[in-house]
Amino acid sequence: MSITYLITIAASLVVIGRLLTFRRLDGRYRPGISLVAWLIIVAATCIAIFGPPPSIAGRWIISAAMVALAIGLIRTGGNVAHLFRPLRRQ
């Protein structure tokens, strides 16, 4: 088991846990954002179950992407809509 595999699994579990424990309180429901959150959970679960790809470059890319996603979700409190906020036009 390599270090990239362990990093990927840990980041995947953080992403899954943070999204499953998100509470929107008085925020409005957005079906598109909910679909994106569901797809992120499905992708992170597949990565956690099947592991990263066998190529070394692919392992590092997936590990870096999962760590970046985990950090972003922790900083936004699990709110997927806030991850896309900088992409909106003013």
Side-chain angles (χ1 to χ4, degrees):
M1 202 174 282
S2 67
I3 189 72
T4 55
Y5 186 76
L6 295 174
I7 291 170
T8 304
I9 296 299
S12 296
L13 293 175
V14 168
V15 167
I16 293 166
R18 187 59 226 156
L19 287 176
L20 288 178
T21 59
F22 173 70
R23 300 183 64 102
R24 68 181 161 90
L25 302 175
D26 291 332
R28 85 179 185 182
Y29 175 73
R30 298 184 201 165
I33 298 298
S34 295
L35 178 66
V36 170
W38 181 80
L39 289 172
I40 291 172
I41 290 173
V42 168
T45 304
C46 288
I47 290 172
I49 291 173
F50 300 118
S55 68
I56 296 200
R59 285 185 201 164
W60 282 107
I61 291 170
I62 295 293
S63 293
M66 290 305 295
V67 168
L69 183 61
I71 290 170
L73 284 173
I74 288 171
R75 289 189 66 184
T76 62
N79 195 340
V80 176
H82 286 189
L83 288 176
F84 299 113
R85 180 167 284 179
L87 300 177
R88 289 189 324 184
R89 291 185 182 171
Q90 297 295 334

